[in-house]
Amino acid sequence: MTTVSAEQRTRTRRITLLVALAVFAQESTWNFYESQVPPLLREHLTSAAVVGMLMGMDNLLGIFIQPWIGNRSDRTRTSWGRRMPYLVVGMPIAAALFILIPHSAGSLPLLIVVLFSYALVANTFKPIAEALVPDFIAPERRSRANAAVKVAASITAIVAALISIFLVDNHLSLAFAIPAIIMLISIGVLAATVRDSRSPAYRAAVAESDESDESDEEDGAERTEPRVRDTFIEILKDTDRSRLLLLLAILLFGSAWAASRSLITPYGMEALNMSRGAAGGLTLPSGIAFILAAYPAAVLAERYGRLRVMAVGMSVFAGAMVLGTLFQTPTGAAVALCLAAAGATCFLVNAVVVLWNLAPSARVFGTYAGMYTVGWAGGGFLGPAVVGGMVDITGWPLMLIDIATVASLSIIVVVRISVHQRSTVLSLAN
């Protein structure tokens, strides 16, 4: 029994690292995109709201693409699995488009076309990598596995900040090429090592589909697979509003988080009088804080409850934004971003796990991952535009307060879910 348990732990650690690598591959370009595309747009545009809207374009595309592609991957059956084919095809194309971004910056229409093309391709595989976590990892270990995934994503934020500091001001094209190369190397490793057709969830989904086929044959009905629309309608009609409220919380907190990332470089330049490269490096310490907080956030969630830990972490995030406004210096901003990142970790590590664990079947893990990314992408689209509009009214010095306001709304929703869950448990006990 001990030997088997040790072997299982080894397999879990191995696949966790490989899934983390998959997320690292895709986030290596996204983090740099969020940091350095806004200054390229500001060379042509003066309105923070318009810049925020264009920065949210990729998230708007994600709202339509990601649930469909997540559901499509759920229904894919190949010897390689249902996730890897999409990653192997999409990532190299996205890397090539990413390299073209600085070369198209001289013309606003051309820049927008390249940004649109990159966002279109990158969104086709964005939810796929994260769906590998519930495919391979048991429910009770998903928070820790997702913590490792989020650590990998935060490392790319550190890489993006370092590239901003050392290369952006003098070697912009090379700075954009490095994240793309990282993506190509990462997908090469994944292609050589991962076959998600061996995952427990893939096998369970195939078995469930076979049982459904047999039942349909007996009843004379055609084979049916869960569709995105069917899944979402089922959530809407469910008398338990936990899943629907959770998606709303993801949208709201995603708005606050996206604004704190997409607009931080112009904030540093306008409110703190920093250079473009230095402002782009403001997130470097917060990336380290995120890494340090990720595993404790998972452990605390397992001990005290995921929703409770999420609410506390989100409160820390909002409070940090207020603190950064009170101490409005580059150092104050860096400290505030560190505290905010540590608090946000509690949400980022656990929210998608709560959603996965609410899924009724392994056949819809990809669809649920797609819905999570839709909520997050919706926030990514709305957040920079809404906060950018607030900045146009209140000014850059109050941007962090604007973000805290949005974050407070998400806290209210998570607290509402937590209260509902506790009342449900009490009613069942009685």
Side-chain angles (χ1 to χ4, degrees):
M1 181 67 68
T2 302
T3 303
V4 173
S5 179
E7 291 177 354
Q8 290 176 341
R9 287 197 298 269
T10 299
R11 286 196 298 268
T12 297
R13 292 191 187 108
R14 177 179 177 274
I15 195 60
T16 297
L17 290 175
L18 289 171
V19 172
L21 181 61
V23 174
F24 178 88
Q26 65 181 23
E27 292 295 328
S28 61
T29 55
W30 279 117
N31 271 294
F32 195 75
Y33 179 98
E34 297 290 341
S35 173
Q36 292 305 326
V37 169
L40 294 178
L41 292 170
R42 282 179 60 79
E43 291 177 2
H44 303 278
L45 302 165
T46 58
S47 171
V50 176
V51 171
M53 182 182 67
L54 289 173
M55 285 303 297
M57 174 179 60
D58 59 289
N59 295 292
L60 179 62
L61 288 172
I63 291 172
F64 298 99
I65 295 173
Q66 291 178 17
W68 176 81
I69 200 70
N71 180 260
R72 185 70 183 176
S73 71
D74 280 338
R75 302 164 69 179
T76 298
R77 302 289 183 265
T78 71
S79 59
W80 210 339
R82 55 181 177 173
R83 317 291 186 202
M84 285 303 300
Y86 297 93
L87 297 176
V88 171
V89 172
M91 285 188 174
I93 297 174
L97 290 168
F98 192 78
I99 292 174
L100 293 177
I101 290 175
H103 299 285
S104 64
S107 166
L108 180 60
L110 180 60
L111 176 60
I112 292 175
V113 168
V114 174
L115 294 178
F116 179 87
S117 300
Y118 164 76
L120 182 66
V121 175
N123 269 299
T124 60
F125 59 81
K126 196 169 184 180
I128 303 298
E130 292 190 0
L132 289 169
V133 172
D135 280 351
F136 281 98
I137 309 298
E140 64 273 11
R141 305 296 292 184
R142 286 173 187 166
S143 282
R144 299 192 187 200
N146 200 43
V149 170
K150 296 306 181 184
V151 165
S154 65
I155 290 175
T156 65
I158 295 174
V159 171
L162 289 172
I163 294 172
S164 293
I165 293 170
F166 292 111
L167 290 177
V168 162
D169 289 336
N170 298 310
H171 306 285
L172 186 61
S173 296
L174 177 61
F176 271 84
I178 289 176
I181 293 171
I182 292 173
M183 177 183 281
L184 292 173
I185 294 173
S186 299
I187 193 57
V189 174
L190 286 165
T193 55
V194 176
R195 296 291 185 274
D196 68 283
S197 56
R198 302 169 185 168
S199 72
Y202 182 87
R203 294 172 179 174
V206 171
E208 189 174 341
S209 295
D210 291 342
E211 291 178 3
S212 177
D213 290 346
E214 292 177 3
S215 176
D216 289 342
E217 287 178 3
E218 292 176 0
D219 297 338
E222 294 183 1
R223 173 182 175 176
T224 59
E225 290 286 348
R227 297 174 299 176
V228 177
R229 183 179 62 184
D230 299 331
T231 300
F232 190 66
I233 290 175
E234 187 266 328
I235 291 175
L236 285 176
K237 290 183 176 180
D238 192 357
T239 54
D240 184 345
R241 298 313 228 180
S242 297
R243 288 177 293 176
L244 188 61
L245 288 173
L246 182 58
L247 290 173
L248 176 60
I250 292 165
L251 172 71
L252 291 170
F253 194 73
S255 297
W257 177 258
S260 74
R261 294 288 149 171
S262 294
L263 300 178
I264 197 63
T265 299
Y267 170 79
M269 296 168 68
E270 299 290 341
L272 306 178
N273 297 316
M274 301 175 71
S275 71
R276 175 177 167 182
L282 275 173
T283 56
L284 175 58
S286 66
I288 298 172
F290 192 104
I291 292 173
L292 295 176
Y295 187 75
V299 174
L300 289 172
E302 291 174 0
R303 180 174 299 178
Y304 298 107
R306 292 187 174 95
L307 291 172
R308 181 181 299 175
V309 170
M310 285 163 57
V312 171
M314 296 157 73
S315 300
V316 171
F317 175 89
M321 294 294 103
V322 176
L323 182 67
T325 305
L326 295 176
F327 298 94
Q328 202 159 79
T329 64
T331 301
V335 171
L337 289 172
C338 285
L339 291 174
T345 302
C346 296
F347 185 92
L348 291 168
V349 165
N350 293 298
V352 69
V353 176
V354 174
L355 192 60
W356 284 331
N357 291 350
L358 290 173
S361 166
R363 296 169 73 186
V364 294
F365 281 156
T367 305
Y368 270 55
M371 286 193 294
Y372 170 82
T373 53
V374 162
W376 197 253
F381 172 69
L382 294 174
V386 170
V387 173
M390 296 167 76
V391 167
D392 285 342
I393 298 171
T394 62
W396 284 103
L398 294 180
M399 187 192 81
L400 300 184
I401 290 291
D402 298 334
I403 293 172
T405 302
V406 177
S408 297
L409 297 176
S410 64
I411 296 170
I412 293 171
V413 176
V414 168
V415 171
R416 175 70 184 86
I417 299 171
S418 183
V419 171
H420 173 73
Q421 293 286 331
R422 284 199 298 270
S423 63
T424 300
V425 171
L426 289 175
S427 64
L428 290 174
N430 295 328

